[in-house]
Amino acid sequence: MALNIRRLVAPVAQSNVYLVRKDNLLPVLFDTGSPDGRWLLKILKQEKIDLAAIFLTHGHFDHIGGLASLSSLDVPTYLAIEDQEFLLDPEYNGSLYFGLPPLMIEVNATDFLDGEVIECPKAGLKIKAIKTPFHTRGSSCFYLEEAKILFTGDTLFRGSIGRDDLMGACPRFLSASLHKITSLKGETVIYPGHGAMSTLDFEKKNNPFLKNI
């Protein structure tokens, strides 16, 4: 599989946005970055990039915000039902908490089951959704099993995990959610919502939050 993964860093909150393309098919987008997504839309238009789908790891402003600028593209968008209320609730999505203009996005997002494999024929990809609540109720990871690649959002970072003190967090699910991730193959490459990539083997050996999982 010839898979190209392009990391873009949003100007606000330094959240990662990933464009993933298999061969010469249409790419999929994982997260959309900060509230003003004009920077992202500019890249897509300048490079004449059409998207097959958008996958959102959770509903915080720095991961869903770019949707407001991308709405004209009419692209299938996936977000766990547990976080869909964040789209229209500035308190839950954190835009108010961080002193930003209230973020409210009207978009029809599609839910998925835990463990469901979502097929994207235009992208030639099968993407497994793994629900990992704790950072938010609907936090999810997306697994490209054939390529052994996992997009973890703010569930797991290199050497750390996401915070659990924001609106909508549910810390009681932390252990169970991390266990879902650690059960994957050790060579799995992790692409987090912030910061550098890693591997599951590295995290199992070095991440203090995985020591007793």
Side-chain angles (χ1 to χ4, degrees):
M1 175 189 292
L3 201 62
N4 179 270
I5 301 175
R6 180 178 176 185
R7 172 180 174 238
L8 304 168
V9 180
V12 176
Q14 302 298 294
S15 52
N16 291 330
V17 176
Y18 297 101
L19 267 172
V20 180
R21 186 193 296 269
K22 177 183 177 182
D23 301 323
N24 293 317
L25 300 173
L26 294 183
V28 297
L29 189 70
F30 291 92
D31 286 338
T32 62
S34 46
D36 187 349
R38 287 178 292 181
W39 67 276
L40 179 56
L41 181 62
K42 182 179 180 180
I43 291 173
L44 296 177
K45 287 192 171 182
Q46 283 184 341
E47 300 184 18
K48 298 180 180 179
I49 297 173
D50 293 322
L51 298 173
I54 297 172
F55 291 84
L56 301 172
T57 60
H58 63 291
H60 283 151
F61 74 96
D62 53 332
H63 296 264
I64 66 170
L67 276 179
S69 298
L70 302 183
S71 59
S72 62
L73 302 181
D74 192 26
V75 177
T77 300
Y78 296 87
L79 174 65
I81 189 67
E82 294 87 350
D83 273 16
Q84 289 185 15
E85 64 181 301
F86 286 41
L87 293 167
L88 293 171
D89 192 326
E91 187 172 6
Y92 270 101
N93 65 42
S95 53
L96 288 182
Y97 180 85
F98 287 95
L100 299 169
L103 177 65
M104 292 175 283
I105 305 172
E106 292 189 11
V107 64
N108 291 320
T110 300
D111 183 32
F112 41 79
L113 299 175
D114 182 29
E116 179 179 352
V117 176
I118 301 167
E119 295 196 25
C120 297
K122 291 183 179 180
L125 295 172
K126 294 182 179 179
I127 300 167
K128 184 176 183 178
I130 304 173
K131 291 194 174 183
T132 53
F134 94 83
H135 181 65
T136 65
R137 295 188 304 276
S139 286
S140 303
C141 299
F142 297 105
Y143 187 39
L144 279 64
E145 187 168 7
E146 184 179 352
K148 297 185 180 65
I149 289 170
L150 184 71
F151 296 92
T152 58
D154 287 3
T155 297
L156 180 66
F157 301 132
R158 183 179 178 89
S160 189
I161 59 173
R163 56 193 293 182
D164 62 5
D165 60 343
L166 298 175
M167 288 289 289
C170 41
R172 66 187 183 278
F173 296 123
L174 171 60
S175 180
S177 291
L178 293 181
H179 180 72
K180 289 182 181 180
I181 294 175
T182 57
S183 67
L184 301 176
K185 296 178 180 178
E187 62 267 34
T188 297
V189 180
I190 295 168
Y191 290 87
H194 299 268
M197 59 185 283
S198 184
T199 67
L200 191 52
D201 273 337
F202 180 89
E203 296 309 309
K204 286 181 177 180
K205 295 175 183 176
N206 299 281
N207 192 321
F209 295 96
L210 300 186
K211 292 297 183 183
N212 299 314
I213 299 298

